[in-house]
Amino acid sequence: MKQERLILVTNDDGYNAKGFKAAIEIARQFGRVVAIAPEVVQSGMSQAITMYKPLFMKKQREEEGVEVYSFSGTPVDCVKMAFDYHLADRKVDLVISGINHGSNAAVNVLYSGTMGAAIEGSFYGCPSIGLSLTDHSPEADFEGAVRYGTEIVRAVLESEPELPLCLNVNVPIARPEELKGIRLCRQTRGYWREEFYRREDPHGRPYFWLTGEFVNHEPECDETDEWALANNYVAVVPIQVDMTDYKRMDYLKGIL
């Protein structure tokens, strides 16, 4: 008898986030779900792990086919907890991280706790998908993201992909019928230009708020994830963790 699939769901917006519930909705269509997410928002944590304080896990709810836990660590801590302890004796068929409230396209992939968790899942030899919607609102409409997320998850599970596999999936703000389909892309070249706003508290102590905007180096290039999103496509970028700059190897050999 074929064993039921087991899918791990996590995120960086916390276990109460609407996008997390949407990711569970996707996952439960394909098998049993164990969902472990941070107890508080952990956006921008990338691959951070907790080393110098104890971690606590609490079961938040359980229903047929779904267990949901909160964890006091980072998104990557959640994945490590799942694979190395909570699910150590079971095969996980897929990791879904998200659905994130906000885009993780372009260089955001380096900062994202959502993608940090997805990448971590791929380290365990498990296909992993980071799902994001380009809407930061806590009450964002995830209908389009659920529809296309379901399509992508089904394609991955039915294809038996070569591992490691990690996908960065971003969905633009649009009704499902307005989305033009899925577009396989590369990461846009660009960077964030930050700005700090200085304020003073009632005691005269200065404090700062970080803000900024993304500078797109190739706004007209139709190969990129930012172009796809701007043109109402779901952007899918395969991610690898080898950050070696191979183009610079010959140059460095000549000067070192």
Side-chain angles (χ1 to χ4, degrees):
M1 182 170 142
K2 190 173 181 180
Q3 189 175 15
E4 183 182 26
R5 289 191 185 105
L6 177 59
I7 298 175
L8 172 65
V9 179
T10 189
N11 78 345
D12 72 356
D13 290 313
Y15 73 96
N16 269 325
K18 186 177 179 182
F20 186 55
K21 296 170 185 175
I24 293 172
E25 179 184 337
I26 294 172
R28 70 188 308 170
Q29 299 176 64
F30 299 97
R32 190 163 69 84
V33 178
V34 173
I36 304 177
E39 63 183 11
V40 296
V41 175
Q42 295 277 349
S43 295
M45 294 302 288
S46 187
Q47 298 289 139
I49 57 175
T50 303
M51 299 177 64
Y52 301 111
K53 62 181 181 181
L55 296 169
F56 301 90
M57 187 166 73
K58 179 180 179 181
K59 180 179 280 188
Q60 293 295 334
R61 69 178 190 275
E62 183 173 1
E63 55 195 76
E64 186 175 357
V66 178
E67 301 170 37
V68 179
Y69 299 85
S70 61
F71 197 48
S72 62
T74 68
V76 169
D77 287 332
C78 292
V79 175
K80 289 183 177 293
M81 180 65 177
F83 278 97
D84 294 330
Y85 180 78
H86 190 63
L87 302 174
D89 59 343
R90 284 165 277 183
K91 177 181 181 292
V92 178
D93 294 281
L94 181 73
V95 174
I96 298 175
S97 184
I99 299 171
N100 191 65
H101 292 247
S103 172
N104 279 318
V107 73
N108 290 329
V109 69
L110 296 177
Y111 301 110
S112 167
T114 296
M115 287 310 300
I119 292 167
E120 188 70 22
S122 73
F123 291 166
Y124 287 86
C126 187
S128 300
I129 302 172
L131 294 173
S132 302
L133 176 69
T134 62
D135 188 344
H136 289 275
S137 169
E139 298 303 320
D141 180 358
F142 286 93
E143 186 177 349
V146 168
R147 180 178 298 185
Y148 279 93
T150 298
E151 184 176 334
I152 291 165
V153 166
R154 179 178 290 110
V156 169
L157 286 173
E158 292 179 354
S159 67
E160 298 184 359
E162 181 180 348
L163 300 175
L165 176 73
C166 182
L167 301 181
N168 183 15
V169 179
N170 286 274
V171 181
I173 302 172
R175 294 294 303 156
E177 61 273 13
E178 297 170 336
L179 295 170
K180 297 178 181 177
I182 296 169
R183 195 170 178 94
L184 190 62
C185 311
R186 64 169 173 82
Q187 180 180 320
T188 303
R189 286 191 285 270
Y191 60 90
W192 279 92
R193 179 58 66 224
E194 281 80 16
E195 184 175 354
F196 286 89
Y197 286 109
R198 184 185 186 278
R199 300 285 188 269
E200 290 187 357
D201 70 9
H203 300 284
R205 296 174 300 187
Y207 66 91
F208 302 88
W209 282 109
L210 175 64
T211 185
E213 64 176 326
F214 179 70
V215 179
N216 189 339
H217 283 175
E218 43 186 356
E220 304 304 321
C221 182
D222 63 5
E223 299 176 347
T224 69
D225 50 7
E226 288 287 349
W227 186 95
L229 293 170
N231 288 273
N232 265 14
Y233 288 97
V234 176
V236 179
V237 179
I239 298 298
Q240 64 179 13
V241 296
D242 182 355
M243 298 180 71
T244 307
D245 186 351
Y246 292 99
K247 291 181 180 180
R248 299 288 182 269
M249 295 291 266
D250 288 341
Y251 160 71
L252 291 170
K253 287 176 183 177
I255 67 169
L256 297 178

